[in-house]
Amino acid sequence: MKIREIMQHTDRTFSFEFFPPKDEISAVDFGINVGQLVKLNPSFVSVTYGAGGSSQEKTFALVDYLQNKIGLTTVAHYTCVGSDRDKIFSDMLNLQKLGVENLMLLRGDPPKGSVSFQAPKDGFSHASDLIRFVRKHYAFSIGGAAYPEKHPEAQTLEEDIGHLKNKYNSGTDFLITQLFFENDAYFSFARRARESGIKCRIIPGIIPITSYAQVNRFADMTAARIPAELHEKLERYKDNPEKSYQTGVDFAIRQCMDLLDRGAPGIHFYTLNKSRAAVEVFESLHL
Ligand code: FAD
């Protein structure tokens, strides 16, 4: 089913994001995790597309598995990295043949060591260009990325929202946010996005952080502000995995409850292929 149709029938969606497992052992782990998540009857699941287009085959294979063998509504991520128009056109045809109805279309990051993104020859520089191209030729339901605390390359949030409006106008049915920990940042961003004319749902992307190492890594990667209370607690428990885990899960439960109480249109969980925390948070919401 297309996400835009799912959204016509429900006010909130709950979804889980995975990446293709690297090897056989992680594939077994992944199977156990998906098994746990299936029971929760998610609105959809999504599968990331590797940096540099490296995991394209694995992404498509996992999308095929989740969509056709497990029967979950599955969103295939796809980026501008390494693809010209002809390749994009044929990749989309292949996804369509697999029965995929939903895409998350992204620009992708510049290669490591380089600061700016270079469009491939006859390819695209911005997600909005990719979205416009795919929208013109195919009938997928399309999602795009949004950044409550600004994309790192944008000078100001205002400029970033201007580009997001362009992305919406290019044909997004929904937006999913970068992870964040401060709900006020999300609601203020969502209000400004609405004021700019963006009418589709902006689904908050949430990650249950379960270790001190993780919180620092994500803060560096995404520029998300970390509440002092969360940072201090994770630091205090950095040598106690169970307490770190519980700290992160408790925080994520409170964060999700507050988001839903204040009207957020659902939650997208970044699972990092470890479903225990995401399952625990989701179940605690008693939906
Ligand atoms: P864009 O929308 O193109 O924006 C990138 C930057 O360019 C922003 O600063 C924006 O303000 C600016 N910009 C946009 N349009 C213009 C314009 N016309 N002129 C000038 N500047 C402009 N990465 C992966 O490699 N694989 C994945 O599977 C993946 N999944 C993701 C899922 C989510 C929910 C999110 C939030 C991110 C994901 N990413 C993924 C990361 C994403 O590829 C990076 O954040 C990337 O740096 C930006 O992608 P984008 O689609 O937001 O790009």
Side-chain angles (χ1 to χ4, degrees), residues 17 48-51 77 79 104-109 126-127 145 147 151 153-154 160 163 166-167 176-178 270:
E17 182 171 308
T48 64
Y49 192 82
H77 292 213
T79 73
M104 184 73 191
L105 295 180
L106 305 131
R107 186 198 67 181
D109 284 315
H126 308 293
Y147 302 83
H151 183 269
E153 289 166 36
D160 208 23
H163 293 141
N166 183 29
K167 189 185 290 194
I176 299 181
T177 75
Q178 179 60 282
Y270 292 102

Side-chain angles (χ1 to χ4, degrees), residues 245-260:
Y245 172 87
Q246 209 48 56
T247 299
V249 165
D250 289 346
F251 182 89
I253 293 170
R254 285 201 306 277
Q255 185 182 10
C256 292
M257 282 179 164
D258 182 60
L259 282 166
L260 297 174

